[in-house]
Amino acid sequence: MSMPPGEAIIPLKNKKFGTWMGVSRVAQILLAFIIMGFDAAVIDEWNRNQLGLNALDSDAAIHTWVGGTPFTGIVMFTTVLTLSVIFYDLVAPTEATIFYHIYGEIVLESLLVIFWLISFAGMGSYITEIQLLTSFLNNNGPDDLWRNTRNSRNNCIVITVLSVVVFGFTLANMMGLIAFVVQTANRRPAAQTEAHNASIRAITQPQEDREKVVTQQEIPESFK
């Protein structure tokens, strides 16, 4: 199978696939900023409640909850990485072609799939832990600390749900890019074959015409 150069395969120039990618990218950008906001709120809540939780804590097990979770940092990193990949996807094919390669885009999209999977799975598991802390504070802690922790739990739920949606868009983009490359590779041999046949016809046709004229001239008049 003859493959065109990777830098020559630009999905955004395809009308049908480019439209899908445009819609998908807009959705990813909006959701990434929304998730970033909710994630920042969770981090802020934990930072502001740190002293109160430590003062209230008489059970060493609760220390595992205090200060939030490393998954908030992973989510923040994933949103920034998503925006960076989208910027590359929109700018590189037209404004910085020397840096663009379709296989590089597929690799970046695959990384996003992995990080969004880690993000929603990690935040989903963290909801169980923060729910236990919310229940503990509801029975033993001050109301303001309980409300803040409950808000953090709700924010984590929103982050998890939206992360699943972005994961779906990202996975669809990755599969679409792979399918687009395969489809482009399948179309190219047919086009090359047709071009090759056309060049052969252009070379052989004049020769065939000359042979036909010579043959007619060599036939005796009496046999015509």
Side-chain angles (χ1 to χ4, degrees), residues 81-156:
L81 179 63
T82 299
L83 296 174
S84 301
V85 171
I86 293 175
F87 179 80
Y88 167 81
D89 180 42
L90 297 178
V91 175
T94 56
E95 303 298 330
T97 55
I98 191 174
F99 298 109
Y100 180 78
H101 201 289
I102 184 64
Y103 303 129
E105 185 176 353
I106 292 175
V107 170
L108 291 175
E109 208 72 38
S110 302
L111 286 176
L112 290 182
V113 169
I114 294 172
F115 275 104
W116 279 116
L117 176 63
I118 295 173
S119 295
F120 82 73
M123 291 300 289
S125 65
Y126 179 58
I127 292 174
T128 303
E129 295 185 5
I130 198 173
Q131 176 59 43
L132 293 175
L133 179 57
T134 303
S135 301
F136 172 82
L137 292 175
N138 186 34
N139 298 322
N140 303 281
D143 289 342
D144 59 338
L145 199 57
W146 168 75
R147 280 193 298 269
N148 291 340
T149 306
R150 183 191 59 184
N151 292 337
S152 294
R153 179 204 61 192
N154 294 338
N155 289 340
C156 288

Side-chain angles (χ1 to χ4, degrees), residues 26 35 58 62 65 68 99 119 151 160 214:
V26 170
I35 292 173
S58 58
I62 297 181
W65 299 322
F99 298 109
S119 295
N151 292 337
T160 302
V214 171

